[in-house]
């Protein structure tokens, strides 16, 4: 099994713990410390939130300006209601709106920025009607 670890710089791990905890995410304490937080998105997907000093140890160059979108992190949701609920909780916990919620083809999506300005997208894949032409 492969795993993915997305690493993002944050200004305050305690604030990040509060924010992502309010969204219902669990943390892997084995990989967390006072300046690093391991957020468990799924069994094999983790987001490592590192305060700027330890984050610098992993990069060359400078940390991107928070007003510059360096990455869009998108996670799936089971339903449009789950998308809406997570966006609502994110905004109530101190996140900021990003793009408006949309429904297009097989996708229903929403988004927000966390307290450090990182963009999080949420996507529910909607069931599509059977293609009538396939039966012909």
């Amino acid at each position: 099994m492969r795993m993915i670890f997305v690493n993002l710089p944050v200004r305050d791990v305690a604030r990040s713990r509060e924010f992502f905890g309010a969204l219902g995410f669990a943390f892997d304490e084995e990989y967390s410390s006072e300046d690093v937080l391991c957020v468990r998105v799924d069994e094999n997907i983790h987001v490592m939130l590192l305060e700027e000093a330890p984050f610098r140890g992993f990069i060359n160059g400078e940390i991107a300006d928070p007003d510059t979108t360096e990455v869009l992190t998108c996670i799936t949701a089971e339903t449009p209601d789950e998308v809406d609920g997570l966006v609502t909780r994110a905004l109530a916990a101190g996140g900021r709106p990003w793009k408006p919620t949309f429904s297009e083809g097989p996708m229903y999506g929403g988004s927000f920025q966390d307290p450090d300005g990182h963009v999080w997208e949420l996507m529910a894949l909607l069931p599509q009607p059977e293609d009538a032409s396939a039966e012909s």
Side-chain angles (χ1 to χ4, degrees):
M1 169 180 74
R2 289 190 187 268
M3 297 178 77
I4 185 168
F5 290 85
V6 176
N7 295 272
L8 298 172
V10 299
R11 290 183 282 287
D12 183 346
V13 160
R15 182 177 73 173
S16 294
R17 179 182 288 275
E18 200 173 292
F19 179 78
F20 286 98
L23 300 184
F25 287 101
F27 308 113
D28 191 332
E29 299 302 340
E30 183 178 357
Y31 301 106
S32 299
S33 67
E34 67 182 28
D35 56 1
V36 175
L37 179 62
C38 181
V39 181
R40 188 179 314 119
V41 175
D42 201 8
E43 180 181 351
N44 61 342
I45 303 170
H46 299 78
V47 177
M48 301 297 295
L49 302 174
L50 299 93
E51 287 191 3
E52 292 183 355
F55 188 82
R56 280 190 173 84
F58 289 97
I59 65 170
N60 294 325
E62 295 300 315
I63 295 173
D65 181 318
D67 291 330
T68 302
T69 304
E70 77 279 15
V71 65
L72 298 172
T73 303
C74 182
I75 58 177
T76 58
E78 293 292 322
T79 64
D81 286 343
E82 185 181 0
V83 169
D84 293 341
L86 199 52
V87 170
T88 299
R89 288 194 311 275
L91 299 179
R96 295 184 304 265
W98 180 243
K99 298 278 187 176
T101 301
F102 72 92
S103 182
E104 186 174 306
M107 299 179 294
Y108 181 89
S111 60
F112 61 88
Q113 286 182 289
D114 68 22
D116 287 284
H118 302 294
V119 176
W120 293 80
E121 293 182 319
L122 307 157
M123 193 68 54
L125 302 176
L126 305 172
Q128 295 300 294
E130 293 290 326
D131 183 3
S133 65
E135 296 177 9
S136 303

